[in-house]
Amino acid sequence: MTLSQEQTELLRHAIQDYAFPPDLYDFIKKSCDHQPNTKGVETRIKADLTSGDWERVKDGLSNVLFWGWAQKQGRRRVRVEHFRVTATESQLRRAVRLFEQCPRPSLLEIKQLKLPEFSGISFVSKVRMFLDPENSATFDRQIMKIIGAFPATLRATFQAFESSTQIRITKESSNAYEHWCEKMREASDRYFNRQFRAVDVERGLFQLIQVDKAAIAAEILKACCDDS
C-alpha cells in the first residue's frame, strides 16, 4: 500500500505548515529567548546537549522541557524548575558522556540516566530527536491519537506503546520507537526524495492532528507502515 498523490501533497503541506512556538529560555539572562524558527531551536539545544559541559547540558535539557511544554505554560514553569533543582551534577556528567560517546542513544540509554522529568517516551524521545533530527522523531500523546484512530491496523504495529497517561520506556517500546523513526525516514525517502528529515515527517503528522485531521493522518500513517 502506498500514499496517493493527494495524500502525499497533504502531508507535504502539513510539513511545511508546521508551527510550534520557537521559544527557549536564557538561563544566564533569565529571560525568554525567542528563536526565528524551529531550526533555531534545534541548533541551540543540540549545541548545548553536545557541548561536553555539564552545565550547558543542564540548560539544553531544561530547554527541551521549556520548548516541549510551550502550550501549557503553567505546567512548563513547574517542570523546568523541578528539573533544574533536582538534577544532580553526577547525573548531568553521565549525560555528557552518553551524548559524547553515542550520537544517537536509545531511549533506554537516556532513561537510564535517571534524569528528573525525563522518564516517559514523550520527553525522552524529544532529547533523542534534538540529538539527531535527521534520523529521529518525537513520539508523544498527540501521535497516539493517530494510532487510536485505526487500532486494528496501527496498534498492532506499535503495540508496545501503551495508552496510559505516560508511555513507559521498556525494551519493547524502545524498539518500537526505533521502528517509528525508521518509518518516518522511509516516508521521506519514498515520497519526498529525502527532502525532509524523519522529524519533519513526524511534525507533518502532528500538524494534521492540530488542525483536526487525525483520521487523515492515520490513513497516511497506515499507508507508510504497510510493508506489503
Side-chain angles (χ1 to χ4, degrees):
M1 186 174 181
T2 60
L3 291 181
S4 67
Q5 184 64 32
E6 180 181 5
Q7 288 173 321
T8 301
E9 290 308 305
L10 275 171
L11 181 55
R12 181 192 301 277
H13 288 304
I15 292 170
Q16 295 169 337
D17 290 344
Y18 170 83
F20 198 79
D23 292 332
L24 298 177
Y25 193 83
D26 188 319
F27 293 96
I28 296 175
K29 297 180 179 178
K30 299 187 183 305
S31 62
C32 186
D33 184 10
H34 182 76
Q35 299 296 306
N37 48 42
T38 303
K39 183 64 176 177
V41 170
E42 292 175 1
T43 300
R44 166 81 176 277
I45 290 181
K46 183 173 182 176
D48 282 343
L49 293 180
T50 59
S51 66
D53 180 318
W54 71 268
E55 292 180 305
R56 283 189 63 186
V57 169
K58 180 178 182 178
D59 288 348
L61 291 167
S62 298
N63 267 319
V64 173
L65 295 169
F66 188 88
W67 176 80
W69 285 110
Q71 294 180 324
K72 297 182 179 179
Q73 295 190 20
R75 190 173 298 180
R76 174 172 70 181
R77 180 184 60 80
V78 173
R79 299 292 189 176
V80 173
E81 182 178 343
H82 177 254
F83 170 76
R84 292 187 67 80
V85 169
T86 58
T88 67
E89 181 178 338
S90 176
Q91 289 171 324
L92 294 165
R93 287 190 182 278
R94 289 199 299 273
V96 167
R97 289 194 295 271
L98 177 62
F99 300 157
E100 285 182 330
Q101 295 169 5
C102 187
R104 194 166 66 196
S106 71
L107 299 191
L108 275 175
E109 288 174 312
I110 299 172
K111 178 191 176 183
Q112 287 165 359
L113 296 171
K114 297 183 178 179
L115 295 162
E117 300 297 333
F118 292 94
S119 58
I121 279 183
S122 180
F123 275 89
V124 172
S125 69
K126 286 178 175 61
V127 174
R128 163 67 180 268
M129 176 272 291
F130 281 117
L131 288 169
D132 180 27
E134 192 71 32
N135 300 293
S136 307
T138 296
F139 193 98
D140 57 19
R141 301 301 308 161
Q142 294 298 312
I143 298 301
M144 280 295 292
K145 291 181 180 179
I146 304 177
I147 293 176
F150 277 88
T153 56
L154 293 180
R155 203 168 279 170
T157 302
F158 300 107
Q159 58 185 331
F161 295 130
E162 300 173 358
S163 58
S164 56
T165 302
Q166 183 185 67
I167 308 170
R168 294 188 305 117
I169 297 176
T170 63
K171 180 179 179 180
E172 291 73 23
S173 62
S174 185
N175 290 338
Y177 168 77
E178 298 297 341
H179 182 62
W180 166 253
C181 293
E182 179 184 343
K183 290 302 178 184
M184 297 302 97
R185 291 194 300 270
E186 287 179 359
S188 178
D189 293 348
R190 186 172 185 179
Y191 300 106
F192 304 109
N193 195 29
R194 300 188 179 182
Q195 177 184 357
F196 301 117
R197 305 164 301 170
V199 69
D200 297 322
V201 178
E202 174 262 310
R203 288 172 179 169
L205 295 172
F206 176 90
Q207 177 64 19
L208 288 172
I209 297 169
Q210 295 298 100
V211 295
D212 298 322
K213 293 181 179 178
I216 293 174
E219 289 281 11
I220 290 173
L221 183 57
K222 176 183 174 184
C224 289
C225 291
D226 192 333
D227 295 321
S228 60

